Amino acid sequence: MGQPETVHPSVEDPRAEHARYWRFSGLPDTELLTARFVTTAFVRHTHPTYTIGVITGGIEEYTHERGHARVGPGGLAVVGPGEVHTGHAGTPEGWSYRVFYPSPAVVEDVARELGMRGTPAFTDSGIHAPEAARALARAHLAAERGEPLDASSHARRGMGLLLSSHGRERAAEPVERTARPQVALAREVLAERMVDPPTLEELAARVGMGPFALTRAFRAAHGLPPHAYLNQLRIDRARSLLRSGRRVGEVAAEVGFADQPHLTRHFKRHLGVPPGTYQRAILAS
């Protein structure tokens, strides 16, 4: 496995930040992040994967669909696919963590081995599970050292322990989240018109709702208003294109951002690193 791109913090600067992403060869369809953030704050966003982070220093605070979490060293910050969440420092010193982003298929595979049926979910988001956290931290370190067998073994054990202690089957979607076909149509329109999106008024007229009613219904269904959901679609598409090796400037134009700085600004609010840094690290691993 190639070495991830690293930006090392300055020892003299207590507010210095660093972050790096890379692919994890020990599990399919899994990216890893190791980072220290101080002033970085994540806007409301989602991931198509699970997010399983081991806090190694400081405190992270974040909101999620079920409330608010504050997680310190040894704790686990866990968010499901598509779950809207934020993230920011809980102390002036910031926080550091090691994060797995396994695809739903990876987590489902571990759950099946435990005899779980249905789509795996978790009983909480800020989780205290010391044995699972230790196993996942060991897996992350092994992956960083380029030891895929150790990494995959510890990762599967850690996820198994986490699912055993805090796993559950995902509940069926509430009726109100699927009751409005206008919201589903609005989502389709945004996906189709990512580069040239309609105004809110145009979108509302297209689906047959008032702008205020559409915004409220869309947020209830997806956790984000239409404009923020559009940015999420753009970032998800940008990540896919960057992983394929496309140039950052080309990616910005293809997903509908005005220019490369516009993409960079939103990319950092979602992932904590510029798109070029993310791409170089992913392609090098």
Side-chain angles (χ1 to χ4, degrees):
M1 181 175 68
Q3 291 300 312
E5 176 174 305
T6 308
V7 179
H8 293 286
S10 169
V11 177
E12 293 77 19
D13 183 0
R15 297 183 68 79
E17 300 188 329
H18 67 97
R20 64 179 182 250
Y21 282 85
W22 74 98
R23 284 183 174 138
F24 178 33
S25 63
L27 287 175
D29 302 321
T30 302
E31 290 183 6
L32 277 74
L33 164 70
T34 181
R36 177 176 183 252
F37 293 122
V38 181
T39 60
T40 292
F42 296 97
V43 298
R44 289 169 60 82
H45 67 287
T46 67
H47 298 282
T49 64
Y50 287 86
T51 301
I52 304 173
V54 183
I55 308 299
T56 56
I59 294 175
E60 181 189 14
E61 286 191 28
Y62 61 97
T63 60
H64 54 91
E65 290 185 355
R66 290 160 286 166
H68 175 269
R70 181 178 169 89
V71 186
L76 291 161
V78 181
V79 179
E83 184 174 355
V84 178
H85 60 287
T86 63
H88 61 88
T91 65
E93 296 75 25
W95 84 99
S96 57
Y97 59 176
R98 291 180 172 272
V99 188
F100 293 85
Y101 296 99
S103 70
V106 168
V107 179
E108 289 170 8
D109 182 55
V110 176
R112 297 295 177 273
E113 292 186 22
L114 298 173
M116 292 180 64
R117 297 180 179 180
T119 302
F122 294 91
T123 58
D124 205 349
S125 183
I127 293 175
H128 179 69
E131 191 175 358
R134 285 192 293 269
L136 290 168
R138 284 195 290 269
H140 211 283
L141 285 166
E144 194 170 43
R145 292 192 298 262
E147 301 170 354
L149 179 58
D150 283 357
S152 59
S153 300
H154 289 305
R156 287 186 176 276
R157 178 172 180 269
M159 282 192 283
L161 289 167
L162 181 58
L163 284 164
S164 295
S165 63
H166 290 81
R168 62 178 176 83
E169 290 185 19
R170 187 185 299 275
E173 289 292 316
V175 174
E176 61 268 19
R177 291 177 75 111
T178 58
R180 288 184 177 264
Q182 298 95 327
V183 171
L185 177 57
R187 184 176 65 176
E188 292 175 7
V189 172
L190 291 175
E192 291 170 358
R193 297 187 56 184
M194 190 183 303
V195 176
D196 180 29
T199 66
L200 178 60
E201 289 75 15
E202 290 170 342
L203 182 63
R206 172 72 176 81
V207 303
M209 295 181 72
F212 179 76
L214 174 60
T215 299
R216 184 172 57 185
F218 202 101
R219 186 190 291 271
H222 300 295
L224 297 169
H227 72 277
Y229 184 85
L230 174 63
N231 279 334
Q232 182 67 60
L233 289 176
R234 288 171 165 171
I235 293 298
D236 289 345
R237 177 60 178 158
R239 290 180 72 180
S240 177
L241 292 171
L242 290 168
R243 288 194 295 265
S244 73
R246 295 284 297 280
R247 293 182 179 180
V248 178
E250 294 176 351
V251 169
E254 185 162 332
V255 302
F257 286 113
D259 51 27
Q260 185 170 328
H262 192 200
L263 167 62
T264 297
R265 187 161 60 250
H266 284 281
F267 203 91
K268 289 184 69 176
R269 290 172 181 170
H270 283 243
L271 296 172
V273 297
T277 299
Y278 171 83
Q279 182 183 57
R280 288 190 294 273
I282 291 297
L283 294 182
S285 58

